[in-house]
Structures are given as structure tokens and as C-alpha cells.
Amino acid sequence: MSHTLDFLGGISAEQFLAEYWQKKPLLIRAAMPEIDGLLHPDDIQALALEEHVTARLIKQKDKDPNQWSVKSSPLSKSDFQKMPQKWTLLVQAVDQYSLDLSALWKKFPFIPQWRRDDVMVSYAPKGGSVGQHFDFYDVFLVQAYGQRRWQLGQMCDENTEFVPKQPLKLLPEMQVTFDEVLNPGDMLYVPPGLAHHGVAENECLTCSFGFRMPDVASMMDRLSDHYADTASLKTPLQDVLRLQSNPVGKITATELEYLKNILIQQIQQTDCLDAVIATLMSEAKYPDNIPEPDELAADDLLEVIDVGYQLMLEPASRLLYIESQGQTQFFANGEALNVSEELTDLLIQIADGEILLLDTRFQAEEIREDLAQLLNDAILMLYTAEEE
């Protein structure tokens, strides 16, 4: 039975998915009050200067605000000298550097983990913006600090024209249908393709919880890579049955049908295709953010069982699973995992977003060996309450 959620403004997840998801925007006041004060502008600017962080510095010229410039990471302190009045700093994957921010993904249990992109944080002084634009993914814009005015407009698509000779894909005009100022904790859902424009009312931070779908070209490319690495598929095919001669320059309809059917048969091998898709969906978007933990042996875990450590998914990693014919197969960071049956139920809970106490459930040797490998590969992480 569905129940209403304050996070969604008093409607149920089912109602949100049926009426708003990928259809129309929704503004929810005080949807995420716990984000207020979680981040500070100085923290975001300092993070943008770190080595592996992906960030962009966007500036508008004082004399002509219609002229934009973009500097992508790595950024240095010198990039922030002689700044114009209007500028914006975009920092990607901030959820991978903050456990508190990462924990807020739990607000979205009605959207699967494989759809998650990252949490981008936008900092801007008064007047700062990235211009009128649209995205091809779902985003929940949550105000974390200060105020930002959001305007929404028309639906756009791949045929929409952009302002020429600019480093950003900016819309030349926007038919404004929504105009509201968001305060800390307020959230605005923007579906794919909807034009939007956010301008800082004062010094502010906005968190963008993004959900992205894969494109067909990427899935086909991954499938092609898999087949290219399969030795049994590199043997030339048998020729089509030939009952008559044809012009030597012609590929006949019979020949084309024969070759297409061979390809279709390969693609329709469900288990293979499932694994290829799951591998792609489990890839980490920012693999450089995955840490290199200290090496652990299975016996080392005996010393920390039942002493307060907790197990969770490493924020920079992805852990997914599929179920087929009573079997569960796990995938993490672009690889299939071999996991003992004893660990399966516990690992499903972690993949589903739960944090588990490292207790006697993990004491068996087979479980400890698998768990040590998952920790050494930074798919999972151990932490204590003091680290929260």
C-alpha cells in the first residue's frame, strides 16, 4: 500500500512516478531540511582545487554578460583571480567526498541505483548563473545554502538550436512558465528536456541530484566490445545455401537476411546481454575517485567483528545485482563479481542502500574472504560512528 512522503510534498512515490517523473516539474518546499548548513561555500571552492576533482569555472564578462568562458579542471587558485561580478563554480560528484551528502540518496528509494549520476554542487555569488539551458537527464535541484531563483520554460530536444559561438549550450530564448526563489531545503524536480535557468539571489549553493539513462550507442558499443573479445565468434560463418548464380556485385536479400539473423540470434542470448548491460550500468562514473584502501586479509576482519564497525557501499563505487533462474549475480565498477552464496543476502542489503553492522554474521571464513576482497577493491568500506 502506498503512503505519502513529506519529501515529495505529501504525495506518494507512486503518484510522483505516475504524474511527474519524466513528465512535468514539481516544487517541494522544505523537502530536505537536513541539507541546510551541510555544505559551505568555502568547502566547495577548496574541493574544486583538489587533484582528482572534476570541476568547471564559468564566467560572464562584465562588459558583455552574453559572452561566456569555461575553464575545466584542474583548477588552481590563480583561476580565481580578477573575477567578474557574475560567475559560477560547478563541482561534480561531491557526494563521493561527503558521507553526509551521500546518505541523502536514501531519499530516493523509488528510483534504482543504476539510474544515479552524481550530486553536482553549484556555487555562485549574487547574479551567478550557467545560462538558459536544458539537460537530457532527470534532476532534483536542492537548495543547500542561500537563495536561487529558478525559471522553467519550454520542452526541448536534440533538434533545439543553441546560441552560436559560445562554450556552453545556451538557449537563445525561454518561454517562462515558472518563476520561484528556492530557500535552503527546498527542492525542484526538473524532467529531461525542460528548459531552466537558475540565478543566484545571493551567495548560494545548489545540489543537483542527477539521474541519467544510458544511450543506445554506448550499449551497442559495449556489446560490440564483448563480442570482439569472444574467441568462438571469430570463426568465419558457413556460407548461405546457394541454389543459383547471381550478379557478382550484388548482395541478395537472402544473403542479407541470413547475416542479420545470425546477429539477431547473438543479441537475443538473454544471459549474455543481461551481463553486458549490468556491467555497463555498474561502471563508476569517476573511477579516479575510488580510493586505494589499506590491504586487508580475511583474518584481519576477525579483530574488528562486533566492535562497532559498519559496512556500507563506497560512495565512489557502484554495486548492482540481477536475478535470473533463482541465481543472484553481482556487478561492481564494470566487473562481474564472484561471491559466495553465504554472503549473497547480506550483499543485496548493502547494494540496496543499507548500512550493516560488522557482527558475527560475517564471521564464517568464506564470507570473510569475499568481504576482504570487496574492501580491498574499494567496493565496500568500513567506518565507525566517529567518522560520520
Side-chain angles (χ1 to χ4, degrees), residues 142-189:
V142 185
Q143 196 61 24
Y145 184 96
Q147 286 80 31
R148 189 183 294 267
R149 176 178 295 277
W150 284 101
Q151 293 179 326
L152 306 179
Q154 71 277 15
M155 292 300 296
C156 307
D157 58 29
E158 62 275 7
N159 298 316
T160 298
E161 294 185 0
F162 301 108
V163 177
K165 299 180 181 179
Q166 292 297 329
L168 298 168
K169 292 183 177 180
L170 302 174
L171 298 171
E173 60 182 7
M174 205 171 81
Q175 302 160 12
V176 177
T177 59
F178 172 99
D179 191 336
E180 295 284 350
V181 173
L182 268 64
N183 299 304
D186 292 347
M187 180 174 73
L188 175 63
Y189 166 67

